[in-house]
Amino acid sequence: LDVRAYPNGTGLVVHFSDITARKHAEAERSQQQEILQAIFDQIPVMIRLLDSDGRVQLVNRAWERTLGWSLAEVQQHNLALLEQLYLDPDEWQRALAFVAAATGEWADFRLRTRHGQVIDTTFANIRLADGTNLSIGQDITARKRTEEALRASEDRFRRYFEMGLVGMAITSPTQPWLEVNDELCAIVGYERQELLQMTWAELTHPDDLATDISLFNQILAGEIDGYTLDKRFIRKDGQVIHATI
């Protein structure tokens, strides 16, 4: 609406424009900005924006919460503060090169938070059309600890398996042996590679096979947790031996 005085002073000139479409577009744009801001603030990954000169423009709440510094502090100290995140100069240089490359690929970094806690993280960087560098990261400390614990557990099992004083195998009733240890090879008289081409049914005395298979199937069905069975094996040299499994 545009209102102006009529030239001779006898009235007003009023111009009307339909701005409904513009208002709808503004409302839609405002809603989209609100949605994007909510995502930026609440998404559980770290986000950091650098301008084309390498200055920090934005960090989200997850970044602040995880690393311990506020956006105002980061902007005040910029690279001097960011360098404190890294445990040694070489890692800091690796991070600078990684950000500059902005390939979009993920890389892991160990960071030191404001409170001195060392955490494992993974980040990806991309460069936007206006030169802005977008960094997205996650705290993967819990995952790393779980992976390390799993590897340690697997290593302990492997040592126990290989150095066991009893024969041990990983097997199924119909497929070839998946793994055998040296003691089992000694008991049945076969080389490891020979056993890995055979099933345990081939080594079991025919009169004991049905009972063994029945008990094994009960384990697979969840009807029992395990079983102990005295059974006979046929060695490679044809000798029948008794064993407890």
Side-chain angles (χ1 to χ4, degrees), residues 102-120:
T103 62
E105 297 180 355
W106 290 86
D108 294 350
F109 295 89
R110 300 201 79 192
L111 302 182
R112 182 193 298 109
T113 71
R114 180 176 190 169
H115 306 294
Q117 179 186 7
V118 177
I119 62 174
D120 290 288

PDB file of all heavy atoms in Angstrom, residues 102-120:
ATOM      1  N   ALA A 102      40.219 -30.790   1.855  1.00  0.00           N
ATOM      2  CA  ALA A 102      38.743 -30.788   1.809  1.00  0.00           C
ATOM      3  C   ALA A 102      38.197 -31.778   0.781  1.00  0.00           C
ATOM      4  O   ALA A 102      37.390 -31.432  -0.080  1.00  0.00           O
ATOM      5  CB  ALA A 102      38.231 -29.375   1.528  1.00  0.00           C
ATOM      6  N   THR A 103      38.638 -33.025   0.877  1.00  0.00           N
ATOM      7  CA  THR A 103      38.226 -34.046  -0.093  1.00  0.00           C
ATOM      8  C   THR A 103      36.879 -34.679   0.221  1.00  0.00           C
ATOM      9  O   THR A 103      36.311 -35.384  -0.609  1.00  0.00           O
ATOM     10  CB  THR A 103      39.274 -35.170  -0.140  1.00  0.00           C
ATOM     11  OG1 THR A 103      39.349 -35.802   1.155  1.00  0.00           O
ATOM     12  CG2 THR A 103      40.642 -34.621  -0.517  1.00  0.00           C
ATOM     13  N   GLY A 104      36.376 -34.467   1.440  1.00  0.00           N
ATOM     14  CA  GLY A 104      35.133 -35.120   1.840  1.00  0.00           C
ATOM     15  C   GLY A 104      35.344 -36.493   2.442  1.00  0.00           C
ATOM     16  O   GLY A 104      34.397 -37.106   2.942  1.00  0.00           O
ATOM     17  N   GLU A 105      36.604 -36.986   2.408  1.00  0.00           N
ATOM     18  CA  GLU A 105      36.892 -38.286   3.011  1.00  0.00           C
ATOM     19  C   GLU A 105      37.040 -38.123   4.527  1.00  0.00           C
ATOM     20  O   GLU A 105      37.345 -37.039   5.033  1.00  0.00           O
ATOM     21  CB  GLU A 105      38.177 -38.871   2.420  1.00  0.00           C
ATOM     22  CG  GLU A 105      38.080 -39.155   0.927  1.00  0.00           C
ATOM     23  CD  GLU A 105      39.367 -39.721   0.373  1.00  0.00           C
ATOM     24  OE1 GLU A 105      40.358 -39.789   1.137  1.00  0.00           O
ATOM     25  OE2 GLU A 105      39.387 -40.083  -0.813  1.00  0.00           O
ATOM     26  N   TRP A 106      36.827 -39.242   5.241  1.00  0.00           N
ATOM     27  CA  TRP A 106      36.896 -39.215   6.705  1.00  0.00           C
ATOM     28  C   TRP A 106      38.296 -39.593   7.175  1.00  0.00           C
ATOM     29  O   TRP A 106      38.967 -40.426   6.566  1.00  0.00           O
ATOM     30  CB  TRP A 106      35.879 -40.190   7.302  1.00  0.00           C
ATOM     31  CG  TRP A 106      34.463 -39.733   7.109  1.00  0.00           C
ATOM     32  CD1 TRP A 106      33.669 -39.954   6.022  1.00  0.00           C
ATOM     33  CD2 TRP A 106      33.682 -38.961   8.021  1.00  0.00           C
ATOM     34  NE1 TRP A 106      32.442 -39.377   6.198  1.00  0.00           N
ATOM     35  CE2 TRP A 106      32.410 -38.755   7.417  1.00  0.00           C
ATOM     36  CE3 TRP A 106      33.905 -38.433   9.287  1.00  0.00           C
ATOM     37  CZ2 TRP A 106      31.389 -38.052   8.049  1.00  0.00           C
ATOM     38  CZ3 TRP A 106      32.891 -37.732   9.912  1.00  0.00           C
ATOM     39  CH2 TRP A 106      31.654 -37.536   9.294  1.00  0.00           C
ATOM     40  N   ALA A 107      38.725 -38.947   8.268  1.00  0.00           N
ATOM     41  CA  ALA A 107      40.008 -39.266   8.883  1.00  0.00           C
ATOM     42  C   ALA A 107      39.863 -39.166  10.396  1.00  0.00           C
ATOM     43  O   ALA A 107      39.075 -38.362  10.906  1.00  0.00           O
ATOM     44  CB  ALA A 107      41.101 -38.320   8.397  1.00  0.00           C
ATOM     45  N   ASP A 108      40.630 -40.005  11.110  1.00  0.00           N
ATOM     46  CA  ASP A 108      40.557 -40.041  12.574  1.00  0.00           C
ATOM     47  C   ASP A 108      41.642 -39.167  13.188  1.00  0.00           C
ATOM     48  O   ASP A 108      42.776 -39.126  12.693  1.00  0.00           O
ATOM     49  CB  ASP A 108      40.713 -41.480  13.079  1.00  0.00           C
ATOM     50  CG  ASP A 108      39.557 -42.374  12.671  1.00  0.00           C
ATOM     51  OD1 ASP A 108      38.544 -41.834  12.167  1.00  0.00           O
ATOM     52  OD2 ASP A 108      39.656 -43.600  12.856  1.00  0.00           O
ATOM     53  N   PHE A 109      41.273 -38.474  14.276  1.00  0.00           N
ATOM     54  CA  PHE A 109      42.212 -37.643  15.015  1.00  0.00           C
ATOM     55  C   PHE A 109      41.983 -37.838  16.508  1.00  0.00           C
ATOM     56  O   PHE A 109      40.837 -37.971  16.954  1.00  0.00           O
ATOM     57  CB  PHE A 109      42.009 -36.154  14.693  1.00  0.00           C
ATOM     58  CG  PHE A 109      42.307 -35.785  13.270  1.00  0.00           C
ATOM     59  CD1 PHE A 109      41.319 -35.853  12.298  1.00  0.00           C
ATOM     60  CD2 PHE A 109      43.578 -35.383  12.900  1.00  0.00           C
ATOM     61  CE1 PHE A 109      41.582 -35.517  10.986  1.00  0.00           C
ATOM     62  CE2 PHE A 109      43.861 -35.038  11.580  1.00  0.00           C
ATOM     63  CZ  PHE A 109      42.862 -35.108  10.628  1.00  0.00           C
ATOM     64  N   ARG A 110      43.079 -37.841  17.267  1.00  0.00           N
ATOM     65  CA  ARG A 110      42.988 -37.831  18.722  1.00  0.00           C
ATOM     66  C   ARG A 110      43.117 -36.384  19.175  1.00  0.00           C
ATOM     67  O   ARG A 110      44.090 -35.705  18.851  1.00  0.00           O
ATOM     68  CB  ARG A 110      44.069 -38.700  19.358  1.00  0.00           C
ATOM     69  CG  ARG A 110      44.015 -40.161  18.936  1.00  0.00           C
ATOM     70  CD  ARG A 110      44.724 -41.048  19.933  1.00  0.00           C
ATOM     71  NE  ARG A 110      43.876 -41.285  21.091  1.00  0.00           N
ATOM     72  CZ  ARG A 110      44.297 -41.827  22.223  1.00  0.00           C
ATOM     73  NH1 ARG A 110      45.572 -42.135  22.367  1.00  0.00           N
ATOM     74  NH2 ARG A 110      43.476 -42.035  23.227  1.00  0.00           N
ATOM     75  N   LEU A 111      42.116 -35.906  19.921  1.00  0.00           N
ATOM     76  CA  LEU A 111      42.069 -34.506  20.330  1.00  0.00           C
ATOM     77  C   LEU A 111      42.087 -34.393  21.847  1.00  0.00           C
ATOM     78  O   LEU A 111      41.648 -35.293  22.556  1.00  0.00           O
ATOM     79  CB  LEU A 111      40.804 -33.834  19.787  1.00  0.00           C
ATOM     80  CG  LEU A 111      40.606 -33.857  18.266  1.00  0.00           C
ATOM     81  CD1 LEU A 111      39.333 -33.116  17.903  1.00  0.00           C
ATOM     82  CD2 LEU A 111      41.802 -33.249  17.556  1.00  0.00           C
ATOM     83  N   ARG A 112      42.564 -33.233  22.310  1.00  0.00           N
ATOM     84  CA  ARG A 112      42.550 -32.917  23.732  1.00  0.00           C
ATOM     85  C   ARG A 112      41.496 -31.843  23.966  1.00  0.00           C
ATOM     86  O   ARG A 112      41.558 -30.764  23.379  1.00  0.00           O
ATOM     87  CB  ARG A 112      43.920 -32.407  24.188  1.00  0.00           C
ATOM     88  CG  ARG A 112      44.006 -32.108  25.677  1.00  0.00           C
ATOM     89  CD  ARG A 112      45.254 -31.326  26.031  1.00  0.00           C
ATOM     90  NE  ARG A 112      46.482 -32.063  25.720  1.00  0.00           N
ATOM     91  CZ  ARG A 112      47.306 -31.748  24.733  1.00  0.00           C
ATOM     92  NH1 ARG A 112      47.026 -30.718  23.940  1.00  0.00           N
ATOM     93  NH2 ARG A 112      48.406 -32.445  24.526  1.00  0.00           N
ATOM     94  N   THR A 113      40.508 -32.119  24.806  1.00  0.00           N
ATOM     95  CA  THR A 113      39.456 -31.151  25.071  1.00  0.00           C
ATOM     96  C   THR A 113      39.969 -30.046  25.990  1.00  0.00           C
ATOM     97  O   THR A 113      41.080 -30.110  26.521  1.00  0.00           O
ATOM     98  CB  THR A 113      38.232 -31.811  25.723  1.00  0.00           C
ATOM     99  OG1 THR A 113      38.574 -32.187  27.077  1.00  0.00           O
ATOM    100  CG2 THR A 113      37.803 -33.051  24.956  1.00  0.00           C
ATOM    101  N   ARG A 114      39.144 -29.054  26.189  1.00  0.00           N
ATOM    102  CA  ARG A 114      39.515 -27.949  27.057  1.00  0.00           C
ATOM    103  C   ARG A 114      39.860 -28.428  28.466  1.00  0.00           C
ATOM    104  O   ARG A 114      40.708 -27.840  29.143  1.00  0.00           O
ATOM    105  CB  ARG A 114      38.364 -26.952  27.122  1.00  0.00           C
ATOM    106  CG  ARG A 114      38.637 -25.739  28.006  1.00  0.00           C
ATOM    107  CD  ARG A 114      37.505 -24.759  27.952  1.00  0.00           C
ATOM    108  NE  ARG A 114      37.854 -23.510  28.606  1.00  0.00           N
ATOM    109  CZ  ARG A 114      37.126 -22.414  28.514  1.00  0.00           C
ATOM    110  NH1 ARG A 114      36.022 -22.401  27.791  1.00  0.00           N
ATOM    111  NH2 ARG A 114      37.499 -21.318  29.145  1.00  0.00           N
ATOM    112  N   HIS A 115      39.215 -29.506  28.905  1.00  0.00           N
ATOM    113  CA  HIS A 115      39.409 -30.010  30.263  1.00  0.00           C
ATOM    114  C   HIS A 115      40.503 -31.078  30.336  1.00  0.00           C
ATOM    115  O   HIS A 115      40.665 -31.732  31.362  1.00  0.00           O
ATOM    116  CB  HIS A 115      38.088 -30.558  30.797  1.00  0.00           C
ATOM    117  CG  HIS A 115      36.969 -29.564  30.721  1.00  0.00           C
ATOM    118  ND1 HIS A 115      36.950 -28.405  31.456  1.00  0.00           N
ATOM    119  CD2 HIS A 115      35.836 -29.554  29.967  1.00  0.00           C
ATOM    120  CE1 HIS A 115      35.849 -27.717  31.180  1.00  0.00           C
ATOM    121  NE2 HIS A 115      35.164 -28.386  30.276  1.00  0.00           N
ATOM    122  N   GLY A 116      41.250 -31.260  29.240  1.00  0.00           N
ATOM    123  CA  GLY A 116      42.383 -32.169  29.256  1.00  0.00           C
ATOM    124  C   GLY A 116      42.061 -33.613  28.915  1.00  0.00           C
ATOM    125  O   GLY A 116      42.960 -34.452  28.900  1.00  0.00           O
ATOM    126  N   GLN A 117      40.812 -33.920  28.641  1.00  0.00           N
ATOM    127  CA  GLN A 117      40.442 -35.287  28.280  1.00  0.00           C
ATOM    128  C   GLN A 117      40.860 -35.564  26.832  1.00  0.00           C
ATOM    129  O   GLN A 117      40.635 -34.747  25.940  1.00  0.00           O
ATOM    130  CB  GLN A 117      38.936 -35.489  28.429  1.00  0.00           C
ATOM    131  CG  GLN A 117      38.459 -36.889  28.046  1.00  0.00           C
ATOM    132  CD  GLN A 117      36.940 -37.004  28.071  1.00  0.00           C
ATOM    133  OE1 GLN A 117      36.240 -35.998  28.257  1.00  0.00           O
ATOM    134  NE2 GLN A 117      36.431 -38.199  27.888  1.00  0.00           N
ATOM    135  N   VAL A 118      41.480 -36.712  26.598  1.00  0.00           N
ATOM    136  CA  VAL A 118      41.863 -37.116  25.249  1.00  0.00           C
ATOM    137  C   VAL A 118      40.752 -37.982  24.665  1.00  0.00           C
ATOM    138  O   VAL A 118      40.350 -38.973  25.266  1.00  0.00           O
ATOM    139  CB  VAL A 118      43.200 -37.876  25.250  1.00  0.00           C
ATOM    140  CG1 VAL A 118      43.544 -38.366  23.842  1.00  0.00           C
ATOM    141  CG2 VAL A 118      44.314 -36.982  25.789  1.00  0.00           C
ATOM    142  N   ILE A 119      40.246 -37.581  23.506  1.00  0.00           N
ATOM    143  CA  ILE A 119      39.154 -38.310  22.876  1.00  0.00           C
ATOM    144  C   ILE A 119      39.535 -38.689  21.448  1.00  0.00           C
ATOM    145  O   ILE A 119      40.385 -38.053  20.824  1.00  0.00           O
ATOM    146  CB  ILE A 119      37.839 -37.500  22.872  1.00  0.00           C
ATOM    147  CG1 ILE A 119      38.017 -36.207  22.048  1.00  0.00           C
ATOM    148  CG2 ILE A 119      37.390 -37.180  24.295  1.00  0.00           C
ATOM    149  CD1 ILE A 119      36.726 -35.427  21.880  1.00  0.00           C
ATOM    150  N   ASP A 120      38.898 -39.732  20.943  1.00  0.00           N
ATOM    151  CA  ASP A 120      39.064 -40.139  19.557  1.00  0.00           C
ATOM    152  C   ASP A 120      37.927 -39.536  18.745  1.00  0.00           C
ATOM    153  O   ASP A 120      36.756 -39.605  19.141  1.00  0.00           O
ATOM    154  CB  ASP A 120      39.039 -41.663  19.441  1.00  0.00           C
ATOM    155  CG  ASP A 120      40.273 -42.311  20.025  1.00  0.00           C
ATOM    156  OD1 ASP A 120      41.335 -42.186  19.405  1.00  0.00           O
ATOM    157  OD2 ASP A 120      40.172 -42.922  21.106  1.00  0.00           O
TER     158      ASP A 120
END
